[in-house]
Structures are given as structure tokens and as C-alpha cells.
Amino acid sequence: MTTVREALVDGKERLANLETPFLDAALLLSHALGISKEKLLASYPDTIPLSALHEFNNHVSKRLSGYPISYIRKKKEFFGLPFYVDERVLVPRPDTETLVEEVLKHIRGKSGMQKNLKVLDIGTGTGCIAITLKHLQPQLRVTAADISKSALAVCKLNSRHLLTEPLELIESDLFSAISGTFDIIVSNPPYLTSNEVAQMQERRWPEPITALEGGQDGLDTIRILINEGYDHLSGGGALFIEAGIEQIDAIEEIFRTRGYQGINSYPDLSGRNRAVSGYKPYVE
Ligand code: GLN
């Protein structure tokens, strides 16, 4: 008979070469046992049912091969909310929380002026941006769009679990099926270069390529977002985009060229700029 403690120690040792062996082992073991991480620590002396031990060992092997822990657990926390994830969608990153925070600051800055701001999240994936915004600011009218039907199915599932009111979901290749204008457009678009993505594919990286690849310089999608997004913004409306550190200057330039004003960049948790915004001027 194996105890929780023994399994945890064993898992931790097998995962020793990963960044966070103990955390990963604890997450996988609590997943196999169907209990919280906190409860796991309180269950050290208990013995593990064989089926759970078997599942745990399989998951440790999968994790050892580099498979993301969030796909194994089918869960990722974003802004304190538990999002369902699987291979149909990109796993939400902490960096994107920074983007959401900036959008929230922007909304709060508009205090009282407009209550029912219209927000569009392009390339929503899990829905982490759109759903978090709607969860924290229920008065917003939020539309979430994605080119992938299967990503939208995941977004729908998350919105059912995490929201009391549904989001508007649209299957759309960027703006192709979007009509009307918005006060805020936000996106975590694909922005990796083709080279970077080719390397990930060589490693059989399981996340959807459409959510990652932004062409030769990684900016293909971002150019369209900035150029076409302008026509989908109301006067004074703002576009917020996440990108890679090295892309920020080029993106600010694309914003300027298209006629946006108040162009701003925002640092991620490591202090390096990772998001850009600009607004469409009011017409006199
Ligand atoms: N930050 C992601 C990564 O490095 C890329 C996400 C994206 O392209 N939107 O894997």
C-alpha cells in the first residue's frame, strides 16, 4: 500500500528536472485523488487507491515528456477564476492578466461616463479575457470572437460556469464577421514568429498553432488588428494588444501610422513592456 506522502515524494523525484517538481507532483496527485492541494497535505498518512496511483504515475510520465500540466488537469487559474482548458485552446498566461488589468484601469478611468461600454475580445480562446472582464464588470456588453469553432465551444463552457449572463460569441476570422463599433477592443493575438513556432512544432508542442503563429515577424495578425480595428472603434474607443517584448516599438509605430492617439505600453510581471494600447480620436 502506498501512502499519499510516499507517492508525492516519488512523483517529486521523478520530476526533479522540471522547474517546480514538488508543485507539479502535488497538483497531479491532488488531481488524481480529486481533492484540493490543501487537503492533500492533510492526507499524507492515508493510503492511495490503486486506480488513483496508476493515474498519478501516468500523469507524471506525461508531465516528464513536457506536456503542460494545465492540459493534464484540464484547468488553469486566471485572475483567480478556474478556467477549463484542453488542446482546443491556448493555456491562459499570467502575462495576459497584466493586459486585463490595464483594460480594467481604463474602464474605471471612464468612471460613470458610460456604464454599458461595448467590449470586443478578438481571438478569445478559453475566453479568459472576455469572461474575466464580464465577471468583474457585469455591466459591460462583452463580445468574444474566435476563428476556431472548437475554441468557441471551450469559451462557451467557461462562460456558463463562470458567468451568470452569457457573452455574445461570434465565429470570426479577426473582424470578418464583426459588425458595428466598440468602446474597447482587446486581444491576445498570435504573435510568435514562424521560426519560433516551427521549433515548438518540432517539440510537438500541443497548443493550437493558430493561437500562436503571427507570420515571419510575428506581427501579421497585429497589423490587421490595428488597421481594421480602427474602423470598429467608436470615437474615443481604445484598442489593447498583447505582444512580445521585442515587438513593442514596431507595434507603437503601426498604431501611430494608422492615426491612433495616446499610444501607451505596459509592463508585464517582469517589468518589460508586453502590451500596447491606443485610442481612436473623437471626430469633431
Ligand atoms: N506568450 C505565448 C508564448 O510565449 C504566446 C502567446 C501568443 O502568441 N499569443 O507561448
Side-chain angles (χ1 to χ4, degrees), residues 43-68:
S43 316
Y44 269 10
D46 299 351
T47 53
I48 300 184
L50 261 186
S51 59
L53 184 62
H54 188 65
E55 185 183 328
F56 173 62
N57 284 331
N58 283 341
H59 286 166
V60 169
S61 302
K62 219 167 173 183
R63 182 70 192 118
L64 257 181
S65 74
Y67 197 71

Side-chain angles (χ1 to χ4, degrees), residues 248-260:
I248 299 299
D249 290 349
I251 293 171
E252 287 188 358
E253 189 54 35
I254 305 169
F255 265 102
R256 261 192 295 277
T257 307
R258 185 67 178 90
Y260 287 80

Side-chain angles (χ1 to χ4, degrees), residues 112-186:
M113 242 164 60
Q114 298 135 300
K115 285 221 169 80
N116 311 317
L117 293 175
K118 275 180 78 186
V119 181
L120 171 65
D121 174 17
I122 292 270
T124 195
T126 48
C128 65
I129 298 174
I131 291 171
T132 304
L133 290 173
K134 180 79 182 164
H135 178 80
L136 295 173
Q137 301 276 333
Q139 81 286 2
L140 295 173
R141 288 180 289 158
V142 181
T143 301
D146 206 291
I147 189 174
S148 153
K149 235 193 223 341
S150 53
L152 283 173
V154 175
C155 177
K156 190 169 184 177
L157 197 144
N158 279 318
S159 74
R160 283 214 185 115
H161 284 150
L162 301 169
L163 296 175
T164 45
E165 255 182 80
L167 295 172
E168 184 186 17
L169 299 179
I170 300 183
E171 186 184 335
S172 180
D173 180 358
L174 300 176
F175 293 101
S176 61
I178 304 292
S179 54
T181 58
F182 296 83
D183 302 297
I184 295 167
I185 300 175
V186 57

Side-chain angles (χ1 to χ4, degrees), residues 7 10 24 27 33 74 91 107 132 135 139 151 173 191 196 200 217 225 227 230 245 260 269:
D10 182 51
D24 286 21
L27 287 172
L33 289 166
K74 302 258 189 288
V91 176
I107 292 169
T132 304
H135 178 80
Q139 81 286 2
D173 180 358
Y191 55 76
E196 287 169 325
M200 292 166 96
D217 62 359
L225 282 173
N227 289 323
Y230 194 88
I245 300 158
Y260 287 80
L269 300 170

Side-chain angles (χ1 to χ4, degrees), residues 90-91 93 95-96 187-192 196-197 200 205 207 209-214 218 242-244 274:
L90 191 80
V91 176
R93 312 278 204 266
D95 305 322
T96 307
S187 184
N188 171 19
Y191 55 76
L192 299 185
E196 287 169 325
V197 170
M200 292 166 96
W205 189 249
E207 287 186 303
I209 295 306
T210 24
L212 292 167
E213 175 155 19
E242 176 181 319
R274 285 292 305 282

